[in-house]
């Protein structure tokens, strides 16, 4: 994408490491300070700066209220010369204690991501991680991939990455806008990060399209407040689904959580609407928070129905009630973090309808 952008006649690409934002006394961002590969410290000025420096952003504190959570870490390996159980599909293994992902990245390579709960994992360099993967994970890998998995461990090319989650909580700042993982993160189990980022780009493109003058930073900032509302249907659907699925798919000693996990797997196994609906939500093809709620609680009720049929008992009824309570306990804290009004009633917020001043609009 960077190379494609560089081919446009009105784009000049400068590469370096941004060290800070340039800020006026009134709080307006007017550009960045950055360091080039050869160590030069330079400044770049612009009426509008888009900040997207990733999940480890050191610039986000100037533009939002960051509350980063790290529920788990991914341990990554590349498996060579092996066949997936179902080619051309991503694979999610419901392992203990949490899911394992497999997906093809080339004709000869398959990427494996092992989820390990907690903020810290065993150090790779001292052999602790390799021993963990052999002892605790290898036996849970599908037989078709197990030899390739062990070979990847033996090669030692193991990488780790924290799985960060952060609700979008910006404070509008004249002259700058935060985007990407620097702005909003969700568990990468569903791979929704790039979907949200590209959707945000389209929303921002549409808001900037009628504007021909970016120099009035205060007016532009007020106009772009609608960005945070217009992005919500897509972003909140994918964020909520990612967080909820991770909690459902992770093992738990709680009997209701076990039943909910199995119910989710069996619900998706029904096929047709029961799988195509959640997949459309996950992929961003149907960014509907209401449909998300419908499917999530349909899974819970499906789990309750499996327990009660053909003959309900007091114990099964009690577990069924706990399944419903468990479902509420999983999804509603995530929805609260996303913002109930912004997620379900965005049209009730005035910024949803905000249009640029007439003097900004390009004459047709």
């Amino acid at each position: 994408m960077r190379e494609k952008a560089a081919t446009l006649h009105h784009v000049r690409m400068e590469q370096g490491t941004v060290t800070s934002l340039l800020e006026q006394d009134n709080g307006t961002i007017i550009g960045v300070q950055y360091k080039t590969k050869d160590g030069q410290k330079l400044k770049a000025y612009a009426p509008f700066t888009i900040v997207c420096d990733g999940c480890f952003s050191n610039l986000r504190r100037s533009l939002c209220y960051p509350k980063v959570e790290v529920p788990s870490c991914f341990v990554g390996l590349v498996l060579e010369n092996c066949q997936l159980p179902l080619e051309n599909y991503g694979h999610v293994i419901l392992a203990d204690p949490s899911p394992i992902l497999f997906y093809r990245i080339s004709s000869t390579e398959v990427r494996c991501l092992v989820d390990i709960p907690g903020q810290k994992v065993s150090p790779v360099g001292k052999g602790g991680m390799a021993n963990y993967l052999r002892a605790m994970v290898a036996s849970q890998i599908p037989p078709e991939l197990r030899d390739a998995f062990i070979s990847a461990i033996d090669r030692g090319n193991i990488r780790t990455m924290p799985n960060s989650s952060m609700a979008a909580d910006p404070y509008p700042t004249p002259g700058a806008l935060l985007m990407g993982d620097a702005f909003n993160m969700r568990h990468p189990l569903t791979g929704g990060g790039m979907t949200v980022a590209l959707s945000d780009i389209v929303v921002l493109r549409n808001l900037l399209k009628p504007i021909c003058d970016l120099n009035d930073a205060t007016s532009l900032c007020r106009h772009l407040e609608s960005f945070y509302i217009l992005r919500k249907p897509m972003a909140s659907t994918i964020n909520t689904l990612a967080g909820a699925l991770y909690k459902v798919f992770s093992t738990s000693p709680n009997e209701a959580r076990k039943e909910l996990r199995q119910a989710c797997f069996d619900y998706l196994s029904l096929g047709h609407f029961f799988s195509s609906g959640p997949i459309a939500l996950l992929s961003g093809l149907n960014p509907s928070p209401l449909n998300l709620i419908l499917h999530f609680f349909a899974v819970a009720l499906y789990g309750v129905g499996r327990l009660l049929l053909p003959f309900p008992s007091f114990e099964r009824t009690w577990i069924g009630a706990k399944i419903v309570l468990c479902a509420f306990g999983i999804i509603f804290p995530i929805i609260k973090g996303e913002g109930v009004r912004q997620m379900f009633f965005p049209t009730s917020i005035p910024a949803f309808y905000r249009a640029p001043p007439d003097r900004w609009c390009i004459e047709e």
Side-chain angles (χ1 to χ4, degrees):
M1 289 192 291
R2 193 175 288 182
E3 291 175 358
K4 180 68 175 178
T7 63
L8 301 176
H9 71 277
H10 54 282
V11 172
R12 189 184 76 192
M13 184 168 69
E14 298 279 350
Q15 295 194 65
T17 301
V18 176
T19 56
S20 63
L21 299 173
L22 302 178
E23 187 175 342
Q24 290 183 327
D25 293 338
N26 63 1
T28 300
I29 304 299
I30 57 173
V32 298
Q33 180 171 293
Y34 67 100
K35 188 192 298 184
T36 62
K37 286 183 178 179
D38 57 8
Q40 281 187 290
K41 292 184 178 180
L42 302 175
K43 293 181 179 179
Y45 295 91
F48 185 54
T49 301
I50 297 174
V51 178
C52 45
D53 56 337
C55 62
F56 300 114
S57 171
N58 64 340
L59 304 175
R60 63 162 67 103
R61 291 188 181 279
S62 302
L63 303 169
C64 74
Y65 303 96
K67 297 176 184 176
V68 180
E69 298 178 357
V70 183
S72 67
C73 296
F74 266 155
V75 176
L77 302 136
V78 174
L79 281 55
E80 296 180 350
N81 301 315
C82 59
Q83 295 295 314
L84 289 165
L86 286 173
E87 284 294 344
N88 302 317
Y89 286 86
H91 291 63
V92 181
I93 311 301
L94 300 187
D96 182 7
S98 51
I100 302 170
L101 308 183
F102 291 95
Y103 55 92
R104 185 164 292 286
I105 57 174
S106 77
S107 59
T108 60
E109 296 174 315
V110 170
R111 176 166 289 143
C112 169
L113 297 173
V114 179
D115 186 89
I116 299 179
Q119 297 186 9
K120 295 182 179 180
V121 296
S122 300
V124 173
K126 297 181 180 180
M129 178 54 66
N131 291 335
Y132 174 85
L133 293 174
R134 288 192 190 94
M136 305 298 296
V137 180
S139 61
Q140 303 184 70
I141 302 298
E144 304 97 314
L145 301 170
R146 194 169 298 151
D147 289 343
F149 180 80
I150 294 173
S151 296
I153 298 172
D154 294 338
R155 286 196 302 273
N157 192 18
I158 302 171
R159 298 287 183 267
T160 62
M161 181 73 176
N163 293 330
S164 302
S165 177
M166 185 183 79
D169 190 9
Y171 50 85
T173 304
L177 186 79
L178 197 59
M179 292 191 75
D181 280 353
F183 172 49
N184 182 207
M185 295 181 283
R186 77 289 311 144
H187 195 284
L189 173 68
T190 60
M194 190 58 77
T195 306
V196 173
L198 293 174
S199 173
D200 284 354
I201 289 168
V202 172
V203 173
L204 180 61
R205 186 274 312 268
N206 292 339
L207 289 171
L208 292 178
K209 202 170 185 179
I211 297 173
C212 54
D213 182 9
L214 301 175
N215 287 289
D216 188 345
T218 302
S219 297
L220 178 62
C221 179
R222 187 171 184 277
H223 169 60
L224 290 180
E225 286 178 10
S226 59
F227 167 77
Y228 304 114
I229 308 303
L230 295 171
R231 70 181 292 275
K232 269 296 177 180
M234 174 72 79
S236 61
T237 298
I238 291 177
N239 293 347
T240 304
L241 183 61
L245 277 182
Y246 178 69
K247 290 185 177 181
V248 169
F249 283 166
S250 297
T251 58
S252 169
N254 185 298
E255 186 67 26
R257 281 279 294 273
K258 291 179 182 178
E259 290 289 342
L260 188 60
R261 186 192 203 206
Q262 189 61 46
C264 185
F265 181 84
D266 292 342
Y267 181 89
L268 294 171
S269 299
L270 294 173
H272 305 293
F273 166 79
F274 304 101
S275 61
S276 63
I279 292 299
L281 293 167
L282 183 149
S283 60
L285 296 175
N286 179 23
S288 169
L290 287 176
N291 275 336
L292 170 61
I293 293 294
L294 168 68
H295 280 287
F296 191 78
F297 282 101
V299 168
L301 294 176
Y302 178 73
V304 173
R306 289 182 342 129
L307 283 170
L308 299 184
L309 296 175
F311 303 109
S313 66
F314 176 79
E315 181 181 2
R316 291 188 171 193
T317 303
W318 176 239
I319 295 174
K322 288 198 291 185
I323 288 175
V324 175
L325 291 174
C326 180
F328 272 95
I330 287 174
I331 201 166
F332 279 106
I334 303 173
I335 291 174
K336 183 180 178 182
E338 290 291 323
V340 175
R341 186 182 178 192
Q342 295 93 324
M343 188 170 174
F344 293 99
F345 311 105
T347 56
S348 70
I349 300 173
F352 183 87
Y353 303 98
R354 193 163 291 161
D358 292 338
R359 60 187 174 85
W360 278 358
C361 296
I362 299 172
E363 294 182 4
E364 296 293 339

